[in-house]
Amino acid sequence: MFRTLKKRIALVSTTAIVLASGVGLTVGSSTAFAASGSQYCTTTPYVACLNAWNGGPFVNVYTARGTTNNDFTVFQVNGIWAIKYTGDNGAVGRCVGDANNDPNLAYTSLDVCPTPGDSGGWGTNFDVDPGCGTGKVAFKNRHWPNGWLKPNANQNGAKFYLNGPTRVCYTIYPAA
């Protein structure tokens, strides 16, 4: 029995090391993104990175890579995708969704993440569109019909919206 317990502990430890090292997993045709967090930035027509402004709760534009509050992890649960803030301060562990968890506000803040058996806060459910090319992704929001995660301006502090009318591709960078 002690030997079996040691094997289970070793398996759990190995799994944790693989996930913490940022190794992406492939399941079918879907990619599970790195568990250590990444930075998601548009590059066309301008740079606009997801940023948990001042540690959250609002997710606004930061126009440069490699800054604080830029660490996000994309994960799948219940057959849907979510974008969790995995930085080291503020609203860490919460997910991008409707501002203040209000179903009538299409701009973004950090809300309750989906978990097994629970869909999470308003607007926290996404479809991931990997059709932007290697190392890029787009996020289609399930709450807002035909809505895409999209910055509304090229300036620090501008809002991200969940109801953008066109697909926006985000380049995936290591978080700072």
Side-chain angles (χ1 to χ4, degrees):
M1 182 164 101
F2 182 69
R3 189 172 273 165
T4 303
L5 179 59
K6 284 177 72 175
K7 286 181 181 177
R8 287 184 183 162
I9 290 170
L11 177 61
V12 169
S13 297
T14 303
T15 303
I17 290 166
V18 168
L19 290 175
S21 69
V23 174
L25 305 174
T26 302
V27 180
S29 62
S30 299
T31 301
F33 296 86
S36 62
S38 299
Q39 183 172 4
Y40 296 86
C41 300
T42 64
T43 55
T44 305
Y46 49 81
V47 174
C49 301
L50 288 173
N51 189 278
W53 204 251
N54 295 319
F58 295 100
V59 178
N60 294 339
V61 169
Y62 198 80
T63 59
R65 293 187 352 227
T67 186
T68 59
N69 303 319
N70 69 348
D71 193 341
F72 291 86
T73 298
V74 176
F75 69 99
Q76 190 175 34
V77 62
N78 306 325
I80 52 106
W81 293 91
I83 307 166
K84 181 188 291 187
Y85 175 56
T86 49
D88 59 1
N89 64 19
V92 65
R94 298 183 62 85
C95 287
V96 174
D98 292 356
N100 300 319
N101 199 31
D102 183 333
N104 301 304
L105 298 177
Y107 60 96
T108 56
S109 74
L110 296 168
D111 301 323
V112 175
C113 290
T115 59
D118 181 53
S119 62
W122 286 103
T124 59
N125 296 198
F126 291 87
D127 290 318
V128 170
D129 179 353
C132 295
T134 303
K136 296 182 179 187
V137 66
F139 301 102
K140 188 166 190 317
N141 193 268
R142 288 189 170 190
H143 174 232
W144 295 93
N146 301 315
W148 295 88
L149 179 62
K150 181 178 185 350
N152 76 331
N154 179 26
Q155 66 184 42
N156 288 333
K159 294 178 180 176
F160 274 93
Y161 280 84
L162 299 170
N163 62 351
T166 57
R167 179 177 78 169
V168 174
C169 293
Y170 294 84
T171 302
I172 305 165
Y173 299 100

